[in-house]
Amino acid sequence: MGKVFVFDHPLIQHKLTYIRDKKTGTKEFRELVDEVASLMAFEITRDLPLEEVDVETPVCMAKSKVLSGKKLGIIPILRAGLGMVDGILKLIPAAKVGHIGLYRDPETLTPVEYYVKLPSDVEERDFIVVDPMLATGGSAVEAINSLKKRGAKNIKFMCLIAAPEGVEVVKKAHPDVDIYIAALDENLNDHGYIVPGLGDAGDRLYGTK
Ligand code: PRP
Ligand code: URA
């Protein structure tokens, strides 16, 4: 079964409080999502492989370590996932970025796919699918299905806020996928919104309604 990691670092929890606050405006919301995405990327990349190289310091030759060049792909689920991409790329600028466009049908809450563009070497890359919200889990499951259908084998899912119901749905559908969360909230309301959550992530990022 996939593991679930909750990154309850004080800096992440602090910033998340302001992300949740309905008084936080679009500009600040976007900046905070970007910062939390960077902090989460720092944790999620903990297991990246290293290799030893020689380096000449001003003092002497030394053995030191660099990333061994594992191929990574970041997959934001459009729209709201886009808000997390730059924060991750600040730490891993060599990652390629694919896009999966999904929206939730407002009546059925089921995801509708409208766009997919992935790096050409899908089978050779490890992927991190990113979306601020994991609510019913439908969008995450569908995005991961879409990636697997095209050959992806090693996938992680990273979000800011998750509902327990959604986490269970993703675990059941994709037991090989580890889930990384900044906060695990209480539940979903009748409209499929996370409680307490942050409202509609896409609307808050882009100032739409
Ligand atoms: C939101 C959010 C997730 C999805 C989560 O996107 O960004 O993609 O809902 O809900 P789920 O777990 O129940 O599928 P939305 O469909 O509102 O699209 P948007 O990002 O374009 O606003
Ligand atoms: N999508 C959002 O943007 N917010 C929620 O609470 C649930 C789904």
Side-chain angles (χ1 to χ4, degrees):
M1 199 45 102
K3 293 197 255 333
V4 178
F5 301 89
V6 181
F7 291 152
D8 55 358
H9 189 286
L11 286 177
I12 293 179
Q13 296 310 305
H14 175 85
K15 290 176 191 297
L16 207 49
T17 299
Y18 292 96
I19 287 176
R20 288 184 191 278
D21 189 339
K22 70 176 192 183
K23 295 191 293 303
T24 299
T26 305
K27 175 177 180 285
E28 199 187 346
F29 185 90
R30 211 180 284 144
E31 288 166 358
L32 286 162
V33 169
D34 179 82
E35 287 168 12
V36 171
S38 286
L39 292 168
M40 292 187 79
F42 182 75
E43 289 290 342
I44 207 172
T45 50
R46 233 174 226 296
D47 60 353
L48 283 182
L50 294 166
E51 64 188 26
E52 200 166 74
V53 294
D54 296 318
V55 63
E56 186 174 9
T57 78
V59 179
C60 66
M61 287 303 294
K63 301 269 182 215
S64 195
K65 290 184 175 155
V66 293
L67 293 171
S68 73
K70 195 177 205 26
K71 290 181 163 188
L72 291 176
I74 313 300
I75 308 290
I77 301 178
L78 308 180
R79 283 176 303 169
L82 278 179
M84 298 172 73
V85 172
D86 285 351
I88 301 171
L89 288 178
K90 275 179 208 146
L91 297 197
I92 36 176
K96 293 270 198 307
V97 181
H99 296 86
I100 297 184
L102 295 173
Y103 68 87
R104 287 201 314 179
D105 181 296
E107 300 297 323
T108 63
L109 299 183
T110 52
V112 182
E113 187 175 275
Y114 60 88
Y115 186 75
V116 180
K117 184 78 180 174
L118 303 178
S120 55
D121 52 358
V122 175
E123 290 172 18
E124 296 159 36
R125 273 180 198 275
D126 290 355
F127 288 99
I128 308 173
V129 176
V130 299
D131 192 323
M133 310 307 275
L134 174 59
T136 65
S139 302
V141 166
E142 198 48 41
I144 296 166
N145 280 341
S146 195
L147 265 180
K148 286 186 174 173
K149 203 164 69 189
R150 291 168 173 84
K153 292 180 189 73
N154 197 347
I155 302 170
K156 295 174 175 175
F157 181 80
M158 174 171 136
C159 66
L160 301 189
I161 300 182
E165 299 92 318
V167 171
E168 286 312 308
V169 167
V170 176
K171 277 170 72 178
K172 195 156 172 232
H174 296 294
D176 56 316
V177 173
D178 289 341
I179 302 171
Y180 300 80
I181 303 169
L184 186 58
D185 274 11
E186 288 161 22
N187 57 351
L188 292 175
N189 68 15
D190 294 342
H191 305 287
Y193 274 83
I194 299 177
V195 180
L198 54 72
D200 187 304
D203 284 347
R204 294 201 61 195
L205 270 169
Y206 299 112
T208 50
K209 253 276 178 297

